[in-house]
Amino acid sequence: MTDKNILNDIENAKKKQEFPILGFVVSLISILYGEFVVRVDGYFLAHTEPYLRGLPEDLIGIVLLVAGVIKLMGVLSNNHKWKRTGIVSLSIIWSGLSVIAATYSFGTGFPHPSWLFMAFVTTICVIESFQGRYAD
């Protein structure tokens, strides 16, 4: 085979890669949840410990929106740097939200099912990270 044939085979193999559905799902969930948090004032205050009243809700929502858009752009354009940046930032954000939700649900607060949602999205982020589709 010549170099040209090898390069063509590599390009064809890249085109045949399956669509990263988990990356797409986690980016959409993050965008929608971030938009919800920005629009609904006091959502986190109603679902967190009283000592976390200073929680920057709008900042968390905006970070979720931006990280979700970065991840979505990376998935749609197959840009590995955007995928990596998106999944790392989303993993950090969703892990933190999971810890806050679990602390409240099983701490001094009342049992609330929000920790299940947060843990589910964190699990999707971890699975997507371990699949390594964001790597160069």
Side-chain angles (χ1 to χ4, degrees):
M1 288 176 69
T2 63
D3 289 338
K4 190 173 186 178
N5 290 340
I6 292 173
L7 291 176
N8 285 337
D9 288 343
I10 290 172
E11 287 301 318
N12 289 336
K14 283 183 182 179
K15 290 177 185 176
K16 290 180 183 178
Q17 289 178 350
E18 64 183 56
F19 185 73
I21 190 72
L22 289 180
F24 184 75
V25 167
V26 78
S27 63
L28 280 182
I29 289 172
S30 299
I31 290 169
L32 293 174
Y33 192 73
E35 188 266 336
F36 175 78
V37 169
V38 169
R39 283 188 186 226
V40 178
D41 290 332
Y43 177 74
F44 277 139
L45 296 181
H47 293 92
T48 58
E49 295 281 352
Y51 60 83
L52 293 176
R53 291 206 190 278
L55 202 62
E57 293 180 2
D58 290 339
L59 179 64
I60 292 171
I62 290 170
V63 170
L64 275 171
L65 275 168
V66 170
V69 167
I70 290 171
K71 177 66 179 168
L72 184 63
M73 287 175 17
V75 166
L76 295 178
S77 67
N78 201 22
N79 187 321
H80 297 299
K81 290 183 182 182
W82 288 355
K83 284 183 186 181
R84 183 183 312 117
T85 302
I87 197 64
V88 168
S89 58
L90 288 175
S91 295
I92 291 168
I93 295 164
W94 283 108
S95 297
L97 291 175
S98 295
V99 168
I100 289 172
T103 300
Y104 180 65
S105 292
F106 300 109
T108 60
F110 58 93
H112 192 273
S114 65
W115 69 273
L116 289 170
F117 172 70
M118 304 292 180
F120 174 71
V121 179
T122 302
T123 303
I124 293 174
C125 287
V126 170
I127 290 170
E128 176 70 12
S129 296
F130 281 135
Q131 287 179 346
R133 291 187 181 140
Y134 60 92
D136 287 331

